[in-house]
Coordinates of all heavy atoms in Angstrom, one line a residue:
S365 N 34.9 2.2 -65.7 CA 35.8 3.4 -65.7 C 36.1 3.7 -67.2 O 36.1 2.8 -68.0 CB 37.0 3.1 -64.9 OG 37.9 2.2 -65.6
A366 N 36.3 5.0 -67.4 CA 36.6 5.4 -68.8 C 37.1 6.9 -68.7 O 36.8 7.6 -67.8 CB 35.4 5.3 -69.7
A367 N 37.8 7.3 -69.7 CA 38.2 8.7 -70.0 C 37.1 9.3 -70.9 O 36.8 8.7 -71.9 CB 39.6 8.8 -70.5
V368 N 36.6 10.4 -70.5 CA 35.5 11.0 -71.3 C 35.6 12.5 -71.3 O 36.4 13.1 -70.5 CB 34.1 10.7 -70.6 CG1 33.8 9.2 -70.7 CG2 34.0 11.2 -69.2
T369 N 34.8 13.2 -72.2 CA 34.7 14.6 -72.1 C 33.2 14.9 -71.9 O 32.4 14.7 -72.8 CB 35.2 15.2 -73.5 OG1 36.6 14.9 -73.6 CG2 35.0 16.7 -73.5
P370 N 32.8 15.3 -70.7 CA 31.4 15.6 -70.4 C 30.9 16.8 -71.3 O 31.7 17.6 -71.7 CB 31.4 16.0 -68.9 CG 32.7 15.4 -68.4 CD 33.7 15.5 -69.5
P371 N 29.6 16.8 -71.5 CA 29.1 18.0 -72.2 C 29.4 19.3 -71.5 O 29.5 19.4 -70.3 CB 27.5 17.7 -72.1 CG 27.4 16.2 -72.0 CD 28.6 15.8 -71.1
A372 N 29.6 20.3 -72.3 CA 30.0 21.6 -71.8 C 28.9 22.1 -70.8 O 27.7 22.0 -71.0 CB 30.2 22.6 -72.9
G373 N 29.4 22.6 -69.6 CA 28.5 23.2 -68.7 C 27.9 22.2 -67.7 O 27.2 22.6 -66.8
W374 N 28.1 20.9 -67.9 CA 27.5 19.9 -66.9 C 28.2 20.0 -65.6 O 29.4 20.3 -65.5 CB 27.7 18.5 -67.5 CG 26.6 18.1 -68.4 CD1 25.8 18.9 -69.2 CD2 26.1 16.8 -68.5 NE1 24.9 18.1 -69.8 CE2 25.1 16.8 -69.5 CE3 26.5 15.5 -68.0 CZ2 24.4 15.6 -69.8 CZ3 25.8 14.4 -68.4 CH2 24.8 14.5 -69.3
T375 N 27.4 19.7 -64.6 CA 28.0 19.5 -63.2 C 28.4 18.1 -63.0 O 28.0 17.2 -63.7 CB 27.0 20.0 -62.2 OG1 25.8 19.1 -62.2 CG2 26.5 21.4 -62.4
R376 N 29.1 17.8 -61.9 CA 29.4 16.5 -61.5 C 28.1 15.7 -61.3 O 28.0 14.5 -61.6 CB 30.3 16.4 -60.2 CG 31.7 16.9 -60.4 CD 32.4 17.1 -59.1 NE 32.2 16.0 -58.2 CZ 32.9 14.8 -58.1 NH1 33.9 14.7 -58.9 NH2 32.6 13.9 -57.2
H377 N 27.2 16.3 -60.6 CA 25.9 15.6 -60.3 C 25.2 15.3 -61.6 O 24.7 14.1 -61.8 CB 25.0 16.5 -59.5 CG 23.7 15.9 -59.1 ND1 23.6 14.9 -58.2 CD2 22.4 16.1 -59.6 CE1 22.3 14.5 -58.1 NE2 21.6 15.3 -58.9
Q378 N 25.1 16.2 -62.6 CA 24.5 15.8 -63.9 C 25.2 14.7 -64.6 O 24.5 13.8 -65.1 CB 24.5 17.1 -64.8 CG 23.5 18.1 -64.4 CD 23.7 19.4 -65.2 OE1 24.8 19.9 -65.3 NE2 22.6 19.9 -65.7
F379 N 26.5 14.7 -64.5 CA 27.3 13.6 -65.1 C 27.0 12.3 -64.5 O 26.7 11.3 -65.1 CB 28.8 13.9 -65.1 CG 29.6 12.8 -65.8 CD1 29.8 12.8 -67.1 CD2 30.1 11.8 -65.0 CE1 30.5 11.8 -67.8 CE2 30.9 10.8 -65.6 CZ 31.0 10.8 -67.0
Y380 N 27.0 12.3 -63.1 CA 26.7 11.0 -62.4 C 25.3 10.5 -62.7 O 25.1 9.3 -63.0 CB 26.8 11.3 -60.9 CG 26.2 10.2 -60.1 CD1 26.8 8.9 -59.9 CD2 24.9 10.4 -59.5 CE1 26.1 7.9 -59.2 CE2 24.3 9.4 -58.8 CZ 24.9 8.2 -58.6 OH 24.3 7.2 -58.0
K381 N 24.3 11.4 -62.7 CA 22.9 10.9 -62.9 C 22.8 10.4 -64.4 O 22.1 9.4 -64.6 CB 21.9 12.1 -62.7 CG 21.9 12.6 -61.2 CD 21.4 11.5 -60.3 CE 19.9 11.4 -60.3 NZ 19.4 10.5 -59.3
G382 N 23.4 11.1 -65.3 CA 23.4 10.6 -66.7 C 24.1 9.3 -66.9 O 23.6 8.4 -67.6
L383 N 25.2 9.1 -66.3 CA 26.0 7.9 -66.4 C 25.2 6.8 -65.7 O 25.1 5.7 -66.3 CB 27.3 8.1 -65.7 CG 28.3 6.9 -65.7 CD1 28.6 6.4 -67.1 CD2 29.5 7.2 -64.9
Y384 N 24.7 7.0 -64.5 CA 23.9 6.0 -63.8 C 22.7 5.5 -64.7 O 22.4 4.3 -64.9 CB 23.4 6.5 -62.5 CG 22.7 5.5 -61.7 CD1 23.3 4.6 -60.8 CD2 21.3 5.4 -61.8 CE1 22.6 3.7 -60.0 CE2 20.6 4.4 -61.1 CZ 21.2 3.6 -60.2 OH 20.5 2.7 -59.5

Side-chain angles (χ1 to χ4, degrees):
S365 72
V368 296
T369 299
W374 270 33
T375 64
R376 287 172 42 89
H377 180 72
Q378 288 172 309
F379 181 83
Y380 164 75
K381 296 299 275 185
L383 180 62
Y384 181 92

